[in-house]
Amino acid sequence: MSTENKNTAGEILRQGRLRQRLSVGECAKRTHIAVRYLEALEEEHWNVLPSESHRLGFLKLYSRFLGVPTEEVLSLYRQKTAAQATGEKPAPPAPKPGTAFRVRTAHRATAWSPSSIPQVIGLAILLLLLAWLVYHAVSSRYFEQNPMPWTRRRSFHESRLMVQKSSSTTHKVRLTAEADSWLRVTSKNELLFEGILPAGASKEWSGSGPFQFKIGNVRALSLFWNDQPVDLLLGARGAINEIRIPPQ
């Protein structure tokens, strides 16, 4: 491995994890950071993370967890992103004595010629045909699985959660956080979770229920009941809402 590869923020994190013989999945469970975000940090795929604050926060948390120098990791990250932002390129080599460089300027043709018009029209027709085929396939599959959905009348509780009641006695609920949010989860008077669910983290429970959710920021979380999304904005008081699954 070259010295350049070793002196990167992602490589320092990866080597710190390997020294402790930890997998990415184990680190995700213990740091409450999603696996895809940890992999993005080690591979330096910064665009995968939602924002600059997420990148800096996850770099600090992950480096402290692994016991690697946090300031060095942040410094290398800033150098890399600053170079990418300014588009730095290596300086051209100095000319040898007695030689001269010839500068060539490439001219890009921008004018349209009449002969290209039929090709453009044919491409547009092809794209429209492909779009119609995709739409037809998706809509046919949807209506096969959900025949005439506009004729169904939802009950009060189905309308509140915008999902159908599950006939199964086992319910699976899953929460994912797009941003930090306070959350409290109980089931049969037993506290399952209470505290801040950090951005990128995910929690899942299953059982006969019912599950009670008190959410501090409905726009920061996504809730799924038996893999079906639940509308957290229905019945919310500002950013706060209380949800019961299954409904009474």
Side-chain angles (χ1 to χ4, degrees), residues 117-155:
I117 295 178
Q119 298 177 358
V120 174
I121 295 176
L123 179 60
I125 294 174
L126 179 61
L127 291 175
L128 289 173
L129 179 60
L130 290 174
W132 181 85
L133 290 174
V134 171
Y135 170 78
H136 179 72
V138 172
S139 60
S140 299
R141 183 179 180 85
Y142 174 80
F143 286 116
E144 286 177 0
Q145 298 177 353
N146 304 273
M148 300 181 67
W150 55 84
T151 61
R152 290 188 65 251
R153 289 189 176 181
R154 293 191 178 98
S155 67

Side-chain angles (χ1 to χ4, degrees), residues 25-44:
E26 290 172 333
C27 293
K29 291 179 181 179
R30 295 170 64 178
T31 60
H32 300 290
I33 301 176
V35 171
R36 67 179 184 278
Y37 291 154
L38 294 183
E39 292 175 344
L41 294 178
E42 293 188 3
E43 297 171 5
E44 298 196 351

Side-chain angles (χ1 to χ4, degrees), residues 139-185:
S139 60
S140 299
R141 183 179 180 85
Y142 174 80
F143 286 116
E144 286 177 0
Q145 298 177 353
N146 304 273
M148 300 181 67
W150 55 84
T151 61
R152 290 188 65 251
R153 289 189 176 181
R154 293 191 178 98
S155 67
F156 170 79
H157 300 293
E158 288 180 329
S159 177
R160 184 174 185 271
L161 291 177
M162 298 194 67
V163 293
Q164 297 182 4
K165 266 191 176 181
S166 174
S167 60
S168 174
T169 57
T170 301
H171 304 275
K172 183 176 71 174
V173 290
R174 174 167 49 90
L175 271 166
T176 58
E178 300 297 331
D180 294 352
S181 175
W182 181 86
L183 171 69
R184 187 172 190 268
V185 185

Side-chain angles (χ1 to χ4, degrees), residues 5-24:
N5 289 336
K6 291 181 180 178
N7 293 331
T8 64
E11 185 61 20
I12 290 175
L13 294 172
R14 190 179 75 85
Q15 291 297 332
R17 175 175 60 79
L18 294 178
R19 281 196 298 271
Q20 300 189 39
R21 298 181 179 180
L22 294 172
S23 66
V24 177

